[in-house]
Amino acid sequence: MKPKFDVISIGDTTEDIFMELEEETKVLKDKKGTKYLGLVFAEKIAVTKVTDVLAVGNAANVAVGSSRLGLKTALYTMLGDDDAGKEMAQVLQREGVAKDYIVFDKKRKSNLSVVLNYKAERTILVHHEKREYSLPKLAASRWLYFTSLGQGHGKLHTQIPRYVKRHKVKLAFNPGSHQLAEGVRKLLPILNVTTVLFVNKEEAQTLVGKEKDIKRLLAKLRELGPDVAVITDGPKGSFASNGVHTHFLPIFPAPLVERTGAGDSYGMGFVAALAHGKTVSEAMRWGTVNSAFVIGKIGAREGLLKKGEMAKILKNHPRFRSKRVV
């Protein structure tokens, strides 16, 4: 029987309020080189622009982006039973995301993030309500995309592997900060059934140690269970390994407005390519191009490409391809 969905994503959904800071804002650096956003204490801080974006967050971005790239998509998320939650559900449905597994939390409000944007870099103030997650009875899907959740997601560590094995689903895993903080031991049930793991370089080192060599870092990630390990390294590009070959692809040249959603759009573009039957090296192109157009807009959703747009861009840039890392 043909699966009902191509991709079901699992994770939190939030409202993002973007605030563009004045050019006079300072960036301070301590002795270790850590940078801090310098705002005068106990003063009113002027912002030049405010943008409110509903129904975003890692899983929501993946759901919307997958729908735009021609896949039948659903999302398991818990929204607050408030006006913001109801509006977010409507946004998702308008984007073609099935409402089957959108759940309203009767006890708590919707999640909220305030994004302070300064010179294209963002500092995010995040508030995630504690939820009581439990995987609903999901229909069969070709892919599951598991990503950032707040507290209360412990049950999913056994429910997701059970679902993956029962339905022979391919799993993409992009752990959020709460999940990474739990450590490798708690993540192993998920990692053992993961098809593609997405992390940035710092997250990779958090999982397997301070390895500098990118090929060894990818190999150590694959030893945890994933068939394919992908490391994104910001403006330096991305790396992917399937255990046979390691590929590198630089970023796609594009104007930078702010970076929110760059990782989500990469991972989602990558998985969408695989779902359309593409190779890992071609999936890197999809992910990189998708990410480039997201960072050219404010918010994580505005720049997400449609399938026809993706095809046209890739056709017009035939030389933009990954190289094998020897």
Side-chain angles (χ1 to χ4, degrees), residues 131-311:
R131 309 289 190 196
E132 297 174 6
Y133 294 99
S134 184
L135 203 65
K137 188 176 181 180
L138 301 178
S141 177
R142 295 166 59 208
W143 281 87
L144 205 65
Y145 196 113
F146 182 38
T147 184
S148 178
L149 286 168
Q151 299 178 56
H153 64 268
K155 284 184 180 179
L156 301 181
H157 285 236
T158 55
Q159 292 175 332
I160 288 176
R162 194 181 303 135
Y163 170 85
V164 168
K165 292 173 183 177
R166 181 185 301 132
H167 293 283
K168 295 180 173 57
V169 178
K170 294 179 179 180
L171 174 66
F173 183 33
N174 175 213
S177 55
H178 279 287
Q179 292 152 317
L180 289 166
E182 292 172 337
V184 170
R185 181 174 293 183
K186 284 195 174 182
L187 296 178
L188 276 178
I190 300 293
L191 291 167
N192 282 332
V193 295
T194 294
T195 304
V196 185
L197 173 68
F198 297 101
V199 286
N200 63 36
K201 189 174 182 180
E202 292 73 23
E203 292 167 343
Q205 292 171 335
T206 296
L207 288 173
V208 299
K210 297 290 184 180
E211 175 62 64
K212 293 183 179 180
D213 182 84
I214 199 72
K215 287 189 72 174
R216 287 199 291 267
L217 192 57
L218 287 162
K220 287 184 177 181
L221 289 173
R222 290 191 67 256
E223 287 173 3
L224 298 177
D227 297 330
V228 178
V230 179
I231 295 175
T232 55
D233 197 10
K236 295 180 181 179
S238 62
F239 300 83
S241 175
N242 61 2
V244 179
H245 300 296
T246 298
H247 291 266
F248 165 73
L249 185 65
I251 61 171
F252 188 81
L256 171 61
V257 175
E258 64 94 20
R259 299 185 191 275
T260 305
D264 304 333
S265 53
Y266 181 101
M268 178 271 302
F270 193 106
V271 168
L274 295 181
H276 282 298
K278 306 299 182 182
T279 63
V280 167
S281 59
E282 183 69 7
M284 293 177 76
R285 297 179 77 211
W286 282 51
T288 302
V289 168
N290 209 33
S291 178
F293 280 81
V294 163
I295 65 176
K297 305 283 186 181
I298 293 178
R301 185 175 63 241
E302 185 67 21
L304 289 170
L305 295 171
K306 295 181 179 179
K307 188 179 178 183
E309 295 171 331
M310 177 70 75

Side-chain angles (χ1 to χ4, degrees), residues 16-21 25-28 34-39 47 112-127 257-261:
D16 280 353
I17 299 176
F18 290 81
M19 295 188 176
E20 304 288 324
L21 296 177
T25 304
K26 293 183 178 180
V27 176
L28 311 175
T34 303
K35 294 180 179 180
Y36 296 86
L37 192 62
L39 303 176
V47 295
L112 177 67
S113 296
V114 176
V115 185
L116 305 179
N117 190 34
Y118 178 63
K119 292 186 176 180
E121 293 291 353
R122 74 268 196 269
T123 301
I124 308 177
L125 310 179
V126 180
H127 174 68
V257 175
E258 64 94 20
R259 299 185 191 275
T260 305

Side-chain angles (χ1 to χ4, degrees), residues 90-108:
Q90 291 174 1
V91 169
L92 292 166
Q93 289 174 58
R94 285 198 298 269
E95 287 283 356
V97 179
K99 64 180 180 180
D100 302 42
Y101 313 119
I102 296 175
V103 179
F104 291 96
D105 188 340
K106 303 292 184 182
K107 299 178 182 178
R108 296 180 178 89

